[in-house]
Amino acid sequence: MAKKAMVYIQSGGPTSVINSSLYGAIKEAQLHEDVISHIYGSLHGIEGLLCDELIDLGKEDPETIELLKQTPGSILGTSRHKLPKDYHDKEYQAIIETLKKHNIGYVFVNGGNDSMDTCFKLSALCKELGLDIKVMGVPKTVDNDLAETDHSNGFGSAAKYIVNTVKEICIDASCYKRGKVFIIEIMGRNAGWLTAAVDVLPKGYRPDFIYLPENKFDVEKFLKDIKVKFDEKGFAIAAISEGITFERDESNVRIDSFGHKQLGGAATDLAKIVETKLDLPVRAIELSLPQRAYCFLTSKVDQDETIMCGRVAVQKAIEGMSGRMIAIKRISDHPYAVKYEPVDISKIANVERIVPQSMMKDDSHMAPSFSDYCLPLIQGEIEVKYENGIIKAAELKKVRV
Amino acid sequence: MAKKAMVYIQSGGPTSVINSSLYGAIKEAQLHEDVISHIYGSLHGIEGLLCDELIDLGKEDPETIELLKQTPGSILGTSRHKLPKDYHDKEYQAIIETLKKHNIGYVFVNGGNDSMDTCFKLSALCKELGLDIKVMGVPKTVDNDLAETDHSNGFGSAAKYIVNTVKEICIDASCYKRGKVFIIEIMGRNAGWLTAAVDVLPKGYRPDFIYLPENKFDVEKFLKDIKVKFDEKGFAIAAISEGITFERDESNVRIDSFGHKQLGGAATDLAKIVETKLDLPVRAIELSLPQRAYCFLTSKVDQDETIMCGRVAVQKAIEGMSGRMIAIKRISDHPYAVKYEPVDISKIANVERIVPQSMMKDDSHMAPSFSDYCLPLIQGEIEVKYENGIIKAAELKKVRV
């Protein structure tokens, strides 16, 4: 088999383990030097292939590669660029030119739903053109909304961050005889997985109410429930998904390049309603960017699985597979065990998997089956390397190809 | 010497090491059983003494006491109650009654400026009444604005959390070719110590601009600087103190029981100005409550010093001292070394120590002397105990006296 280069693309929003997938792919590729000639990285997602901006990851120090496991953000850069619907468009031609120019035989796209669409189109085009280029997807999204996989790489770590941070907030919130209403806003546009995660906290450290975008949000019922809880214990805590909808001022809302509304601010808007209608002290807390960028609370289970997904993607591409994403299939809950299975990307692209009603007790509490699902995913801690009290991060030399 | 009980009061907003002071005081008191008959905790700050609500900390398990070092919030509860100005008021009489009833000879008040005022009045009253009750202050505030001490217990850990979290945000922010303007809001009403802390980050991971409440905030200059930086590198990051002032809608601002304005929302308001005036994508991130409640990024230096302050307060009270707070005096920067010195509380109560101009290079950057000051305070990591992927926290039995 003639040696060919591989290129790795990081796409969409980062997660705290996005660079762990890359780590896994690099480590696996290094075991196959007889097949893989070079390990390239595409700068700024698909834009790197569009504009022929690639770097040689083989030129990086081993220490840098190790540090990938505790480096947030997309180390190769990412992009919000959405490829045209028609994959005969000239943008795809430009990508194919870059792939041919560098003798690339393996393409890995690490991303969420939108990115899997890119991956799907690219693999279809290569097939149509009769090119011997394998295109594989590596799952990534804190939102956990990818179809055909038990969970997504990045979810477990974001959930672990959220669970632990919300526990700290709950403890802080309970210090006063007469405290406040706390409204904690958690990432999740249409899928409430991350918000639901707080349900795994033991009683006494758990928000009183959990509101997911999967359910209709009833402001009147919310206010009534909050009031009862506040009167009962002197404070009340609600966890809400940023995507819950209620009547609010949307005049300032912006739309991103994928046509999605920019979110955030739901907790603040809801806090104003609580203040006006209930006249209670209230504090809105948006967990914000650290949810996806926090390497201190990376879940070891998530990181190990993420590395494996990167590895398996490389293995399967070498075996000749294309147009598949590496999915995680759960074999059992007790003990928790998974296997890795390639699934057809066309089943995943642009599909959103939301929290099923079977995992909810009612519109503001989870059923026990949710904890069974979620708790294994936040297990284990990673050892973090510091320098002068500050977490170390990988810095690439970025040697251009 | 007749044995007497001690009572410990946690006051004001919690810090991530507030319970480490208590740990230190308990461990020290246990060494002096010949002098200290009982170790009591006052529930909900000064309210516990006002309403005779005390618990016996001697009844707690050693494991619980150990866990205090990784438990956020005020484990004894805290209070926003402000004692009357006149210390002949009946509220003070009620406190004295409680002290007498339980044969208390030692009172420890762990808090910030407002709490040191409580401490000062109480010690003055005991002296005036000829009571053999020693009242000692233990410094605590993430804001670092206590006078007469090099720094306050809790500042180093909050700073370590902020420094590391902002590094993660800076990495995430730099992933896109064309990113956003990020405005990170950090705690600090009149003193910008916590915001300034981000200056210790290495270049490339440091916000471009740092705005402290000590300086006049010039919106026009801010917008100009942000625009230049964004055009230069495709994103821009500003760290602001919640206390910076500029023209904004303050119709919703509430006032707390100490007469302070409730803060928060400065970044959001400033983001709106950036959006309107510069038409750039912008994201406001308020670090919020986790700044003071995060036990994962506790500074070992801060924790060790905090425990020592609790210990020394007990030692000095036993020696007969009263009306003093245990201050930290820095002996040298390289190597970093401190000593603990009791200082007259009248010099501390209600005084705010702000960041000196000598530590600033200009109105949006720090001078090198600031790093020399701050960096030693965020050194060292603590080992955190988890259970099922979730941080463990102390739970008191709270046996009433």
Side-chain angles (χ1 to χ4, degrees), chain A residues 12-15 43-44 47-48 51 53 70-80 160-161 163-165 167-169 171-180 182 187 200-202 205 242 252 254 262 268 272 275 280-297 375 378-381 386-395, chain B residues 12-15 43-44 47-48 51 53 70-80 160-161 163-165 167-169 171-180 182 187 200-202 205 242 252 254 262 268 272 275 280-297 375 378-381 386-395:
Chain A
T15 78
L43 292 181
H44 294 109
E47 292 182 55
C51 311
E53 290 176 353
Q70 63 171 52
T71 304
S74 308
I75 190 95
L76 301 172
T78 187
S79 160
R80 291 187 199 91
K160 188 177 183 113
Y161 169 79
V163 165
N164 279 285
T165 303
K167 178 170 180 175
E168 306 285 57
I169 291 172
I171 293 175
D172 192 291
S174 63
C175 286
Y176 293 92
K177 256 189 188 170
R178 190 172 187 275
K180 290 183 184 177
F182 288 83
M187 282 184 173
V200 307
L201 283 166
Y205 300 112
E242 58 184 352
N252 295 320
R254 277 173 297 113
Q262 298 262 359
T268 303
K272 280 179 196 153
E275 211 161 27
L280 290 177
V282 57
R283 181 156 189 173
I285 301 178
E286 192 181 332
L287 295 190
S288 194
L289 213 65
Q291 288 169 92
R292 71 180 201 193
Y294 227 71
C295 284
F296 303 95
L297 280 165
L375 207 48
I378 68 165
Q379 296 307 305
E381 290 76 47
Y386 289 84
E387 191 168 26
N388 284 326
I390 303 169
I391 190 170
K392 289 178 85 168
E395 289 182 59
Chain B
T15 79
L43 292 180
H44 295 106
E47 293 181 56
C51 312
E53 291 176 352
Q70 63 170 51
T71 303
S74 307
I75 191 94
L76 301 173
T78 185
S79 159
R80 292 188 197 90
K160 187 175 185 117
Y161 169 80
V163 164
N164 278 286
T165 303
K167 178 169 180 176
E168 308 284 58
I169 292 172
I171 293 176
D172 192 290
S174 64
C175 286
Y176 293 92
K177 257 188 186 169
R178 190 173 186 275
K180 290 182 184 177
F182 288 83
M187 282 182 173
V200 307
L201 283 165
Y205 300 111
E242 58 183 353
N252 294 321
R254 275 174 298 113
Q262 296 263 359
T268 302
K272 280 180 196 153
E275 211 161 29
L280 290 177
V282 58
R283 182 158 187 171
I285 300 177
E286 192 181 332
L287 296 191
S288 195
L289 212 65
Q291 289 168 92
R292 71 178 199 193
Y294 227 70
C295 284
F296 304 94
L297 281 164
L375 208 47
I378 68 164
Q379 297 306 304
E381 289 76 46
Y386 289 85
E387 191 168 26
N388 285 327
I390 303 168
I391 190 171
K392 289 177 85 168
E395 290 181 60

Side-chain angles (χ1 to χ4, degrees), chain B residues 84-333:
Chain B
K85 277 189 182 166
D86 176 11
Y87 61 84
H88 297 100
D89 184 278
K90 66 178 188 307
E91 288 206 355
Y92 292 92
Q93 307 304 325
I95 292 169
I96 296 292
E97 283 309 303
T98 306
L99 296 176
K100 283 182 179 170
K101 175 180 170 190
H102 299 287
N103 193 29
I104 291 168
Y106 310 97
V107 179
F108 301 95
V109 182
N110 185 197
N113 320 60
D114 290 326
S115 313
M116 287 307 133
D117 180 52
T118 300
C119 195
F120 174 62
K121 285 172 179 160
L122 210 54
S123 70
L125 182 62
C126 289
K127 199 173 166 187
E128 193 179 290
L129 296 175
L131 297 169
D132 184 22
I133 298 173
K134 312 301 175 198
V135 185
M136 293 290 285
V138 183
K140 176 242 55 155
T141 172
V142 292
D143 290 334
N144 204 36
D145 58 355
L146 278 169
E148 301 289 324
T149 183
D150 180 75
H151 52 278
S152 303
N153 299 146
F155 169 68
S157 296
K160 187 175 185 117
Y161 169 80
I162 289 163
V163 164
N164 278 286
T165 303
V166 169
K167 178 169 180 176
E168 308 284 58
I169 292 172
C170 287
I171 293 176
D172 192 290
S174 64
C175 286
Y176 293 92
K177 257 188 186 169
R178 190 173 186 275
K180 290 182 184 177
V181 175
F182 288 83
I183 304 173
I184 306 170
E185 180 173 333
I186 296 170
M187 282 182 173
R189 188 184 301 273
N190 302 315
W193 295 104
L194 283 177
T195 307
V198 303
D199 177 67
V200 307
L201 283 165
K203 200 166 176 290
Y205 300 111
R206 193 195 301 149
D208 302 298
F209 307 103
I210 298 171
Y211 300 100
L212 311 186
E214 283 82 354
N215 298 314
K216 191 174 151 19
F217 183 71
D218 180 340
V219 175
E220 292 310 317
K221 184 167 180 297
F222 162 79
L223 290 170
K224 210 176 127 192
D225 288 346
I226 287 288
K227 178 79 171 70
V228 168
K229 194 55 74 176
F230 189 91
D231 289 346
E232 180 191 318
K233 58 178 199 175
F235 66 99
I237 306 174
I240 66 164
S241 280
E242 58 183 353
I244 61 164
T245 50
F246 53 96
E247 207 173 305
R248 49 193 281 225
D249 178 16
E250 296 209 344
S251 55
N252 294 321
V253 172
R254 275 174 298 113
I255 307 294
D256 73 12
S257 56
F258 284 97
H260 301 146
K261 273 187 195 168
Q262 296 263 359
L263 296 178
T268 302
D269 288 357
L270 207 50
K272 280 180 196 153
I273 296 176
V274 168
E275 211 161 29
T276 313
K277 299 274 179 107
L278 299 181
D279 194 25
L280 290 177
V282 58
R283 182 158 187 171
I285 300 177
E286 192 181 332
L287 296 191
S288 195
L289 212 65
Q291 289 168 92
R292 71 178 199 193
Y294 227 70
C295 284
F296 304 94
L297 281 164
T298 294
S299 149
K300 185 76 167 65
V301 164
D302 184 27
Q303 183 173 77
D304 289 347
E305 290 178 352
T306 299
I307 292 170
M308 274 307 290
C309 283
R311 282 190 176 275
V312 175
V314 172
Q315 289 164 7
K316 295 298 172 189
I318 290 174
E319 288 173 16
M321 203 173 268
S322 187
R324 308 283 172 90
M325 184 193 83
I326 307 305
I328 301 171
K329 301 284 174 180
R330 192 181 299 216
I331 303 167
S332 85
D333 275 329

Side-chain angles (χ1 to χ4, degrees), chain A residues 363-376:
Chain A
D363 65 354
S364 54
H365 300 90
M366 303 307 294
S369 60
F370 179 80
S371 263
D372 289 342
Y373 168 79
C374 187
L375 207 48

Side-chain angles (χ1 to χ4, degrees), chain A residues 13-17 112 139-146 152-159 162 187-188 191-195 242 289-293 302:
Chain A
T15 78
S16 71
V17 293
K140 174 240 58 152
T141 172
V142 292
D143 290 333
N144 203 36
D145 57 355
L146 277 168
S152 303
N153 300 145
F155 169 68
S157 295
I162 290 163
M187 282 184 173
W193 295 103
L194 283 177
T195 307
E242 58 184 352
L289 213 65
Q291 288 169 92
R292 71 180 201 193
D302 184 28

